[in-house]
C-alpha cells in the first residue's frame, strides 16, 4: 500500500511560474510514489474573497487546467474540487466542537493576514476557521504527508494538534499529518521581489508567448549597468536569479561571466532566459489549449476525481460519526 499524500491550492489567483516550480512540479514527481490527492480549495478562496467572488470560478478552472497541463495524471492521482466533497464541511463542523478558540487565534497567519489585507473585513468566523477547514481537508483522507511551502507550517502544526485532540477525546482515527518540505528555489518576479500574484510581477502559465516575452524583455537588471559597456554584478539582477532556475549550468556560467565583464548585453542574456522558459512553457501551453478547447474532458476528470475522493472521505466520516456518538 502506498502512503497517502494530500495537498491543495487556493482558488484566489491565476497560476504562475512560482507555483509551478514551488509546488506543482513537485506534486507531479510525488504521484508515482504515493497515493496522491490534489484539490482546488475554492471554499478557502471565500475566506478572504467573500465580498467579491466573481473570479473564483475562473481561478478554479485555471488551476485545474494547470494541474493537468503540468503533468498531474488522473490515472495516477485523485484530482478534485473541495466544494464537490461535502464531507469536508461536515468534518469541519464536527472539529469545530472540539477546537479551542485560542488555538485558532494564536495561528500566526491569522493576525498577519488581517494586517496585510486591512482593506477587507476579516473579522469573520470563516476566516478564523481557515486552518480548521484546512485540517478537515487533510485528515479526512487520513493523509500522512502534506507537500507545502514553509509558510504553511503553522497550519500543519494546528492540524496535528487537532488530530491529536480528536484521537485523545474519542478514538484513534487520524494519523498526525506531516509537512513534506522540499527545498525549492525562490522564484523572483519581474521586479526582483518574490513572484506573487498580488505584486503584479508574475509570469502566468496562461500568459501567451508575446506576454512572456514582453515581461522578460522589460525586466530590471543590475541597476548599476546603465550602458552596454558597463560591467554588471549578476547577483544583483533578477534576470540572473531566474537563470539559476531555468538555465543549464553552462549557460549560467556564461551569463555570469558575460555580465561581470560586459561581454554580453542584457538583451542577449534575457534572450537565453526566454528560450529556456519557453522550453518549459511550450508543452504546458499545448496541453492547456487542448483542455481549453475540450472543457468536457476537464469536467469529467474533476467529476470522477471528486467522486473518488468522496468515497475515501465517507469512509472516514463513518468512523467519525460513530466515535462522536452520532446515530
Ligand atoms: N492553505 C493552502 C494555500 O494557501 C491551501 C490549502 C487548503 C491546503 N487546504 C489545504 C494545502 C490542505 C494543503 C492541504 O495554499
Amino acid at each position: 500500500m502506498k502512503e497517502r499524500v494530500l495537498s491543495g491550492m487556493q482558488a484566489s489567483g491565476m497560476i504562475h511560474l512560482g507555483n509551478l516550480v514551488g509546488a506543482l512540479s513537485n506534486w507531479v514527481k510525488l504521484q508515482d510514489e504515493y497515493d496522491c490527492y490534489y484539490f482546488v480549495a475554492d471554499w478557502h478562496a471565500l475566506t478572504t474573497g467573500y465580498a467579491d467572488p466573481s473570479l473564483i470560478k475562473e481561478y478554479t478552472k485555471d488551476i485545474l487546467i494547470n494541474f493537468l497541463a503540468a503533468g498531474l495524471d488522473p490515472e495516477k492521482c485523485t484530482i478534485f474540487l473541495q466544494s464537490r466533497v461535502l464531507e469536508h464541511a461536515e468534518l469541519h463542523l464536527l472539529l469545530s466542537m472540539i477546537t479551542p478558540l485560542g488555538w485558532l487565534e494564536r495561528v500566526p497567519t491569522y493576525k498577519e493576514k488581517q494586517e496585510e489585507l486591512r482593506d477587507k473585513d476579516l473579522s469573520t468566523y470563516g476566516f478564523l476557521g481557515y486552518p480548521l477547514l484546512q485540517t478537515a481537508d487533510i485528515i479526512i483522507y487520513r493523509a500522512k504527508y502534506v507537500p507545502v511551502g514553509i509558510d504553511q507550517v503553522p497550519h500543519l502544526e494546528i492540524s496535528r494538534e487537532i488530530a491529536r485532540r480528536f484521537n485523545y477525546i474519542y478514538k484513534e482515527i487520524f494519523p498526525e499529518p506531516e509537512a513534506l518540505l522540499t527545498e525549492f528555489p525562490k522564484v523572483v518576479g519581474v521586479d526582483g521581489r518574490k513572484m506573487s500574484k498580488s505584486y503584479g510581477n508574475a509570469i502566468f502559465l496562461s500568459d501567451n508567448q508575446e506576454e512572456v516575452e514582453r515581461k522578460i524583455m522589460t525586466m530590471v537588471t543590475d541597476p548599476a549597468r546603465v550602458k552596454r559597456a558597463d560591467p554588471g554584478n549578476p547577483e544583483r539582477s533578477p534576470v540572473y536569479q531566474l537563470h539559476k532556475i531555468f538555465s543549464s549550468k553552462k549557460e549560467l556560467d556564461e551569463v555570469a561571466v558575460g555580465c561581470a565583464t560586459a561581454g554580453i548585453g542584457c538583451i542577449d542574456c534575457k534572450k537565453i532566459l526566454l528560450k529556456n522558459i519557453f522550453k518549459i512553457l511550450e508543452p504546458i501551453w499545448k496541453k492547456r489549449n487542448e483542455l481549453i478547447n475540450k472543457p468536457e474532458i476537464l469536467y469529467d476528470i474533476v467529476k470522477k476525481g471528486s467522486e473518488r475522493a468522496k468515497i475515501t472521505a465517507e469512509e472516514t466520516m463513518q468512523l467519525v460519526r460513530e466515535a462522536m456518538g452520532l446515530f
Side-chain angles (χ1 to χ4, degrees), residues 3-269:
E3 290 176 311
R4 189 164 291 158
V5 159
L6 171 134
S7 201
M9 240 178 234
Q10 186 175 314
S12 53
M14 304 290 276
I15 297 289
H16 54 67
L17 278 179
N19 303 129
L20 179 70
V21 174
L24 266 184
S25 302
N26 185 42
W27 293 11
V28 172
K29 286 193 207 119
L30 293 170
Q31 67 181 346
D32 291 313
E33 251 185 87
Y34 295 93
D35 177 22
C36 294
Y37 282 67
Y38 297 126
F39 72 102
V40 181
D42 52 348
W43 282 337
H44 273 106
L46 286 168
T47 62
T48 45
Y50 66 87
D52 176 15
S54 57
L55 292 173
I56 293 180
K57 218 181 260 178
E58 191 184 325
Y59 294 151
T60 299
K61 198 170 161 193
D62 181 69
I63 297 175
L64 289 168
I65 287 175
N66 285 319
F67 276 6
L68 299 166
L72 290 185
D73 178 350
E75 301 288 323
K76 292 183 186 164
C77 61
T78 304
I79 296 169
F80 69 99
L81 186 55
Q82 184 185 38
S83 65
R84 295 284 174 87
V85 187
L86 299 181
E87 287 75 3
H88 289 225
E90 183 186 0
L91 184 58
H92 178 215
L93 172 84
L94 293 177
L95 294 177
S96 77
M97 307 299 171
I98 66 163
T99 304
L101 274 180
W103 289 14
L104 294 170
E105 285 160 351
R106 274 194 297 275
V107 174
T109 47
Y110 178 58
K111 289 253 153 57
E112 282 166 19
K113 264 264 143 100
Q114 266 186 339
E115 286 289 307
E116 189 188 315
L117 304 174
R118 219 169 314 165
D119 52 322
K120 295 184 178 170
D121 180 2
L122 296 181
S123 51
T124 57
Y125 171 71
F127 184 66
L128 179 66
Y130 186 110
L132 190 60
L133 179 57
Q134 178 158 345
T135 300
D137 296 337
I138 299 167
I139 68 177
I140 204 165
Y141 300 102
R142 283 170 285 167
K144 180 149 200 250
Y145 296 115
V146 185
V148 282
I150 191 103
D151 59 308
Q152 293 290 317
V153 168
H155 288 157
L156 248 291
E157 201 40 56
I158 191 174
S159 295
R160 295 165 60 82
E161 277 167 345
I162 291 165
R164 212 176 299 147
R165 184 163 164 88
F166 183 99
N167 291 344
Y168 172 75
I169 299 178
Y170 305 107
K171 195 171 173 217
E172 282 281 331
I173 292 180
F174 297 116
E176 289 177 29
E178 285 170 45
L180 204 59
L181 288 174
T182 326
E183 276 307 311
F184 296 120
K186 194 171 124 233
V187 183
V188 300
V190 292
D191 60 358
R193 294 187 291 170
K194 176 177 182 257
M195 188 177 286
S196 162
K197 57 175 199 295
S198 37
Y199 293 162
N201 65 359
I203 294 173
F204 297 101
L205 305 196
S206 54
D207 284 344
N208 63 27
Q209 197 168 329
E210 290 74 44
E211 282 163 328
V212 176
E213 183 161 355
R214 182 181 53 76
K215 286 181 181 179
I216 297 287
M217 296 315 280
T218 56
M219 268 182 86
V220 291
T221 54
D222 176 4
R225 206 173 169 197
V226 184
K227 293 195 299 291
R228 168 69 176 80
D230 298 336
N233 176 353
E235 284 299 344
R236 287 229 216 107
S237 164
V239 177
Y240 184 65
Q241 301 307 322
L242 290 182
H243 270 296
K244 286 185 186 169
I245 296 167
F246 297 106
S247 300
S248 68
K249 177 82 183 63
K250 182 165 166 281
E251 287 167 321
L252 192 63
D253 291 344
E254 280 167 11
V255 297
V257 172
C259 180
T261 59
I264 156 179
C266 294
I267 296 191
D268 296 316
C269 173

Side-chain angles (χ1 to χ4, degrees), residues 69-70 277-288 290:
I277 288 182
F278 281 161
K279 222 186 288 168
I280 291 186
L281 286 178
E282 265 155 15
I284 292 181
W285 285 334
K286 191 163 165 274
K287 285 198 225 157
R288 280 184 56 91
E290 287 166 18

